[in-house]
Amino acid sequence: MSSSSSGELKRKRAEMEIVWQTPANPPERHDYIFRNGRRHVKPYYFEFISHVSAVKAGRIQVDGQIVPVSYIVQPSQKISHFLHRHEPPVMAWDVSIIQEEPDVLTVCKPASVPVHPCGQYRKNTVVGILQAEHSLAPLFPVHRLDRLVSGILILAKSAAKADLFRVQIEAGMVHKQYMAKVIGIFPEEEQVVNVNVNYNAREGRSSVEVGDCHGSTPLKGKAACTKFTRISTNGTHSIVLCEPITGRTHQIRVHLQYLGHPIANDMLYLSEVIADRSIEGMSADRAAAGRSSISTFPCSNRFDEYENSGEDFSIDPMCTNCPNLAPKGYDGHEEPLWLHCMRYSGPDWVYECPNPDWAFLS
């Protein structure tokens, strides 16, 4: 780097007005940018806290004060490292409110949006978007939905109410119903899969475990049971009602794979043989998916409204992600999973979500 370029960079760093954000700062409506059918988050400075660190980028605070690199940290002092954070974008569909009660909120969760802050996601979450766009906080998710799964999501407005729901779930008093679009002609009679599921956190996927007839090989996975019933078929794909009795990670997805009928666009669990057999049908479905939103109602698409909004964000010369809006490593080709949570019901309550467009076979 030339001396003039280096001097210009130092000047920009000195002139930058940095507004630090901590976990206490709530998301706001103006934090979002909509481009190419995706909901982005304006990059922001976020505080990561640790007690042992060696950061030489000049963005260190010790007990709330900026210190030089030569500063010697004393015992019990808090070191804060501030980073220009770029969150991965999600699809630009609304988080639509289905029903609001004094102590419960139910929404239609769009595919691609995480339920709560996790990993790289903080503002681009169901909880964050509801707080930014509807001033709803605090909210306590009652159950999980994988990021790529759409459907009914129940959120309590108090920790006490969330605990009441969880007691019912743990006691087996809650009935869960999903629908999936799978490869092939699913059997007409009900299928019950009672096979252990073992989740590999490093690989981010589950596998089924079937013991031998003698029971001599110990199983690492957890007991899992799912009931499946065919709703319709067009000869290429089938719409299947999925009723998980247990709640293991990726249980429905891996149990459908075990039956030889994986979710038709689930690249994590599609085998090569099935993918080759169905490539023609999947190509047509992908083209249709590109033209429509996940559901005509209530998960509407904000693409047309915000595409030309002209929103911009501040470029940080020290940031390795800038001037791009999305973080490095994001390829932008993510596809919503054809798995939808349609209904949750308990002893004296029922919450439902409208079916997605892909559930209607032609």
Side-chain angles (χ1 to χ4, degrees):
M1 180 183 294
S2 65
S3 58
S4 60
S5 298
S6 177
E8 178 68 13
L9 180 60
K10 289 180 179 178
R11 183 186 65 79
K12 288 183 177 180
R13 290 177 181 176
E15 292 178 352
M16 286 183 62
E17 180 181 357
I18 296 176
V19 178
W20 307 118
Q21 293 202 24
T22 70
N25 293 111
E28 298 181 15
R29 185 181 291 270
H30 61 73
D31 289 334
Y32 300 96
I33 296 176
F34 296 85
R35 291 182 182 173
N36 301 322
R38 299 287 193 274
R39 177 194 291 266
H40 295 259
V41 172
K42 292 182 182 179
Y44 54 92
Y45 295 97
F46 189 77
E47 178 188 19
F48 290 90
I49 299 174
S50 62
H51 293 283
V52 178
S53 180
V55 182
K56 296 182 179 179
R59 290 182 177 172
I60 283 184
Q61 289 186 4
V62 177
D63 289 344
Q65 302 295 319
I66 295 177
V67 296
V69 176
S70 59
Y71 183 84
I72 299 176
V73 180
Q74 304 301 315
S76 301
Q77 287 190 312
K78 183 188 78 172
I79 303 174
S80 301
H81 175 206
F82 294 93
L83 179 71
H84 197 228
R85 190 171 189 175
H86 290 237
E87 291 193 25
V90 299
M91 299 303 295
W93 296 312
D94 281 331
V95 178
S96 299
I97 296 174
I98 297 176
Q99 186 174 345
E100 184 172 4
E101 303 170 6
D103 52 359
V104 179
L105 178 75
T106 55
V107 302
C108 178
K109 176 186 124 36
S112 85
V113 184
V115 172
H116 52 72
C118 58
Q120 298 182 76
Y121 298 90
R122 177 172 166 262
K123 296 183 180 183
N124 250 351
T125 62
V126 172
V127 171
I129 293 169
L130 287 172
Q131 184 170 11
E133 298 187 349
H134 299 278
S135 300
L136 290 166
L139 293 173
F140 302 85
V142 169
H143 59 99
R144 294 185 302 111
L145 284 181
D146 287 346
R147 188 174 64 83
L148 294 179
V149 176
S150 62
I152 189 73
L153 180 65
I154 307 169
L155 303 111
K157 294 185 177 181
S158 69
K161 184 64 176 180
D163 287 340
L164 291 177
F165 276 112
R166 292 183 185 125
V167 167
Q168 293 181 358
I169 292 174
E170 292 171 1
M173 302 167 64
V174 175
H175 185 207
K176 299 166 281 186
Q177 292 179 299
Y178 292 71
M179 65 166 47
K181 183 175 183 176
V182 305
I183 292 293
I185 302 175
F186 197 85
E188 190 172 0
E189 57 276 1
E190 181 182 85
Q191 303 290 305
V192 178
V193 179
N194 199 348
V195 180
N196 282 25
V197 170
N198 184 25
Y199 179 68
N200 187 318
R202 177 173 295 181
E203 296 181 359
R205 59 177 292 159
S206 292
S207 59
V208 297
E209 289 186 332
V210 181
D212 56 44
C213 59
H214 303 291
S216 57
T217 304
L219 299 179
K220 298 179 181 178
K222 297 180 179 179
C225 181
T226 315
K227 293 195 301 183
F228 298 101
T229 307
R230 191 178 81 187
I231 298 174
S232 62
T233 185
N234 62 3
T236 301
H237 297 109
S238 299
I239 301 299
V240 178
L241 172 65
C242 314
E243 299 173 279
I245 309 304
T246 53
R248 310 306 180 197
T249 302
H250 295 184
Q251 175 178 314
I252 293 174
R253 298 165 69 180
V254 74
H255 274 180
L256 284 168
Q257 180 198 47
Y258 173 76
L259 288 174
H261 296 276
I263 295 172
N265 68 342
D266 191 351
M267 293 305 163
L268 193 61
Y269 293 103
L270 274 171
S271 68
E272 293 182 4
V273 174
I274 294 177
D276 291 341
R277 178 166 59 115
S278 63
I279 188 169
E280 182 177 350
M282 287 182 65
S283 297
D285 283 321
R286 281 186 181 139
R291 294 191 298 268
S292 65
S293 65
I294 193 167
S295 178
T296 304
F297 176 85
C299 298
S300 58
N301 197 322
R302 308 184 71 169
F303 176 80
D304 294 332
E305 180 181 355
Y306 289 100
E307 178 62 17
N308 298 312
S309 62
E311 291 285 353
D312 205 351
F313 63 97
S314 300
I315 304 298
D316 183 348
M318 294 178 63
C319 177
T320 58
N321 289 308
C322 286
N324 296 320
L325 189 52
K328 286 185 177 180
Y330 177 78
D331 59 15
H333 299 296
E334 193 170 66
E335 187 173 341
L337 194 65
W338 287 332
L339 178 62
H340 180 77
C341 182
M342 53 190 291
R343 192 172 190 264
Y344 257 66
S345 58
D348 55 357
W349 52 269
V350 177
Y351 297 112
E352 296 179 302
C353 189
N355 295 338
D357 291 342
W358 53 254
F360 304 97
L361 297 177
S362 57

